[in-house]
Amino acid sequence: MKLSLRITIVFFVFITGFAHSADAQQKKKKPNIIFILTDDLGYGDLGAFYQQQRAEKKDKSEPWMFTPHLDQLAQEGAKFTHQYSPAPVCAPSRASLLSGHTQGHANVRNNQFDKALEDNYNMASVLKEAGYATAVIGKWGLQGSDLWEEGGDAWPAHPLNRGFDYFFGYMRHIDGHEHYPKESIYREVKEVWENKENIIDKLDKSYTTDLWTAVAKKWIVDHTQENSEDPFFIYLSYDTPHAVLELPTQPYPTGGGLNGGLQWTGKAGQVINTASGTPDSWTHPDYENARYDHDNNPNTPEVAWPEVYQRYATSVRRIDSGVGDLIRLLKDLNIDSNTLVVFTSDNGPSLESYLPEEYEPNYPTFFNSFGPFDGIKRDSWEGGLRVPSIAWWPSQIKEGNTIEEPSALYDWLPTFSEAAGLPAPARVDGVSLLPVLTDKREQKESLIYVEYFEGGKTPDFEKFSANHRNRKRNQMQMIRMGDYSGVRYDIKEHTDDFEIYDVVNDPQQINNLANADDMLALQQQMKDKVLQVRRTDTSANRPYDDELIPASVVKGKVQKGLNWKIYDGQFPWIPNTSSLNAVQEGTLEKGTDIPKVNKDQLIVYQGYIEIPKDGVYTFHLNNKGKTLVRLHQILLFDKDYAHEEIDEVQAMSINLKAGLHPFTFYNIPQNGNEELKLQWEGPGVEKSLIPAGVFRY
């Protein structure tokens, strides 16, 4: 068969299973994975990232906190000093983390708390496909509704419907504002769910940091004893130090691990061994009598830390103790060498305490929780987005590694997928971080992109640069390219310039370089790139939604046709092919044969599509198999997950400038002899099959 002027491609593939042979899978033991996410913990809150620097200065006007277990974790593993949250607030950040998408593609954006996480491949379902037992413990907030009369099967995005085998925790976002679910001081009604049963009646005096830690330990022990050969994945989602700055009931239990530390007793009324004493009563002794130079005058007496800061420091320290307890457990069970532990936060530090008004919640400035940056939660400055991330995997990650390459939380899904022996779904925006963690091959560049809307203004902190104080937020956007971060606040239209900062040499973003002559090209690249990596979402409108997406500047000569590659494998999804080796490849030109595809193969066409005129183009896809199409980095079509339930005919309208647009077309047909049709219509173009003459390579 020859390539005609209109493309009609016939494939012969039947798909089952996953990518890599079973023999190869058995030869490599998959690591257990524990992903620990804190709520509103700042980059500067950890000793290894910033607090140790404060302590070394011995300036009593600049108090400091201690995080000894997390510092040890960083010393024994790797710390990421340039890792970003996908959004500066929790719901969109967590949705992007789990889906592997930037905020340009995630279905939860802005402040859409309790919106259902989309029913598609995510961190849990991917690892479940790889043979993992999966559990989420702690805060969820992506279930699909915050209505109190709902529950159990009523939530469409219950964790059990999103790839998790086990759930224990807060379902609703607002529940996570309270850290004693039964003795609530913030809201009367609280619910804690074990799978689909509300067990709040059993949880007297249960401080959530302790509760989640104890449940995680119990689940690991039970799983290890019952399924010692099967790997596990835990998403441990703490709801602290955010919101009500409540204190534990008592000191952290001595020891740790299998026989010490936090333990689950299971007794109603005292389900954990710290569910006794008085709720909200115990301050860590390192802070209870701490004093500081409040007026920066060594000749005047030092004064005690205000109570709100004692509370915050105790909350952070409790998380630190819980992580140390978990690491001790892994060692006691002799599974530490083959367990990958990641610790991080969902966004920058918040200016909230949810305590009575007399508690001034300015702990970000008391401890410089934002680290060397400006910005807090809800800001698109570095302080609102840069998060303290640590990765620990004794058998694979060398000790004391500091990773300066930019990355984002949505990179962890493809990282875990590769660690489990599977290529990540091609729909994922993130890239695997295994190369930089294990130093085994060149690291692929991560896409750092954020968009977010928030009313109000930035805080008027004296420690912040004057150009960052009392700024209207509204529509915000951030993109990082190399050492430079482009930031826009209060965006009115797409022509608004980015402020450009060298965040490597100017982490506080004091010197805006946007007006420099040598930044003009970068300014345009940023404006173009932010349109080429996202698709519009009618639930989160942006002032640049209707802009024409610019064509690419292509260096070198292009020719008519497309490059193609064929990959062997039994794929459960359309895979990202960056780590796969093609078994065949070639170029599809006029007069050449359509490549023949055998059973259990994927074919990928790549090149450019030439758009003849500026305007709105609608593309139509008609097929029964699995297909994914990207234009630039935009997901034009995603007909992969549950593809049998998706209509055969799909349409997508997109605004395009005339010129060459990068085009990648993945396909795994449902069965042989499937005719696949890709059509378009636009300015001067009636609905028709896309002619072969507009494709370039």
Side-chain angles (χ1 to χ4, degrees), residues 441-657:
R441 68 175 192 274
E442 185 177 353
Q443 176 65 45
K444 187 177 180 181
E445 184 179 358
S446 177
L447 169 64
I448 311 298
Y449 174 71
V450 174
E451 59 180 59
Y452 179 63
F453 173 83
E454 172 70 39
K457 296 181 179 181
T458 61
D460 187 22
F461 291 164
E462 290 184 3
K463 294 184 177 182
F464 284 2
S465 175
N467 62 320
H468 298 153
R469 296 159 59 178
N470 282 322
R471 290 277 298 270
K472 286 185 178 180
R473 286 172 170 144
N474 295 330
Q475 294 284 355
M476 293 175 285
Q477 202 172 35
M478 189 280 277
I479 187 167
R480 177 150 173 189
M481 302 181 76
D483 292 348
Y484 297 96
S485 172
V487 183
R488 297 199 287 192
Y489 267 60
D490 194 24
I491 306 169
K492 302 298 184 185
E493 54 189 6
H494 187 61
T495 55
D496 293 353
D497 281 344
F498 281 93
E499 298 172 41
I500 300 177
Y501 301 94
D502 178 352
V503 293
V504 173
N505 297 303
D506 178 22
Q508 197 179 350
Q509 298 172 284
I510 295 174
N511 185 21
N512 180 9
L513 306 174
N515 293 326
D517 290 342
D518 59 354
M519 289 290 127
L520 295 179
L522 182 59
Q523 177 74 245
Q524 191 57 53
Q525 290 172 21
M526 288 180 170
K527 288 182 178 179
D528 290 350
K529 187 71 171 179
V530 296
L531 296 176
Q532 296 168 340
V533 299
R534 67 179 300 275
R535 58 187 292 172
T536 60
D537 185 329
T538 56
S539 72
N541 295 320
R542 308 289 187 219
Y544 39 85
D545 279 345
D546 296 329
E547 290 294 316
L548 292 169
I549 296 165
S552 292
V553 177
V554 181
K555 297 180 181 179
K557 184 179 180 181
V558 296
Q559 302 179 64
K560 291 185 177 181
L562 287 170
N563 291 319
W564 57 266
K565 292 183 178 181
I566 294 175
Y567 300 87
D568 277 340
Q570 297 178 333
F571 305 103
W573 46 68
I574 294 175
N576 183 310
T577 58
S578 60
S579 62
L580 303 180
N581 295 318
V583 295
Q584 296 180 57
E585 57 185 289
T587 302
L588 197 63
E589 300 178 272
K590 184 176 181 180
T592 61
D593 289 335
I594 296 290
K596 294 182 179 180
V597 185
N598 297 319
K599 182 181 178 181
D600 295 340
Q601 289 183 320
L602 161 75
I603 187 164
V604 180
Y605 290 91
Q606 196 164 26
Y608 299 90
I609 183 170
E610 185 171 27
I611 299 301
K613 296 179 181 179
D614 291 357
V616 179
Y617 287 79
T618 300
F619 293 86
H620 303 267
L621 178 69
N622 186 356
N623 77 312
K624 295 181 179 179
K626 294 187 175 186
T627 304
L628 188 139
V629 182
R630 282 190 186 265
L631 201 65
H632 297 278
Q633 289 173 269
I634 302 165
L635 275 176
L636 187 64
F637 291 109
D638 181 9
K639 190 176 183 295
D640 183 0
Y641 181 83
H643 67 283
E644 300 92 345
E645 301 171 11
I646 300 173
D647 292 340
E648 293 181 25
V649 179
Q650 291 185 294
M652 173 69 178
S653 295
I654 190 167
N655 301 340
L656 298 172
K657 282 189 176 182

Side-chain angles (χ1 to χ4, degrees), residues 14 20 108 127 130 146 178 227 243 275 308 365 521 609 631 636 658:
F14 177 77
H20 293 295
V108 179
L127 290 173
D146 65 350
E178 170 63 57
N227 304 285
V308 68
T365 60
I609 183 170
L631 201 65
L636 187 64

Side-chain angles (χ1 to χ4, degrees), residues 409-431:
L409 295 188
Y410 41 76
D411 291 326
W412 287 112
L413 190 163
T415 303
F416 296 160
S417 183
E418 184 180 357
L422 289 177
R427 75 185 305 268
V428 166
D429 294 324
V431 300

